[in-house]
Amino acid sequence: MNFEQLKEVIVAALPNCNPDAVTPEAQLVPDVCADSLDTVELSMAIEDKLGVSMPDGLMATFLTVNDLLTYLKEALFRQHSETRRAPCGSFLKEV
């Protein structure tokens, strides 16, 4: 996940969003999302497109696009790590 990928999700989810306004330093509200309805739409798009759970109220904790990006990178890393873990004892060979 990088900034350009997140920007694509944001612009696709928010048709009234000015793509030039979406920068890492842009504030989610009001620079990117005009209101709370936009933040809900963006949360749903993130869940649909990236498979990252976005609990109610989570978007309100992010000040900037970069804050959201940092969260998504960490969440995707955790998801990837969990799917790659081997079952306990699977590294042992039968003797």
Side-chain angles (χ1 to χ4, degrees), residues 22-36:
V22 182
T23 65
E25 301 80 23
Q27 291 187 8
L28 282 174
V29 177
D31 298 339
V32 176
C33 299
D35 55 29
S36 60

Side-chain angles (χ1 to χ4, degrees), residues 2-94:
N2 62 39
F3 169 73
E4 289 303 322
Q5 292 169 320
L6 177 55
K7 183 175 179 176
E8 287 177 21
V9 172
I10 292 171
V11 172
L14 305 173
N16 294 329
C17 176
N18 175 2
D20 294 333
V22 182
T23 65
E25 301 80 23
Q27 291 187 8
L28 282 174
V29 177
D31 298 339
V32 176
C33 299
D35 55 29
S36 60
L37 181 58
D38 282 349
T39 60
V40 170
E41 292 291 330
L42 182 54
S43 288
M44 292 175 16
I46 288 169
E47 288 182 348
D48 289 345
K49 295 184 189 302
L50 303 177
V52 174
S53 177
M54 300 294 289
D56 290 342
L58 181 63
M59 289 293 287
T61 66
F62 307 123
L63 181 61
T64 66
V65 172
N66 197 54
D67 294 340
L68 174 58
L69 179 60
T70 299
Y71 171 81
L72 293 173
K73 284 180 180 180
E74 291 170 359
L76 290 168
F77 178 78
R78 282 191 306 273
Q79 284 180 355
H80 180 72
S81 295
E82 289 171 2
T83 60
R84 295 188 48 91
R85 285 189 186 146
C88 186
S90 66
F91 60 92
L92 299 175
K93 290 185 176 180
E94 292 290 324

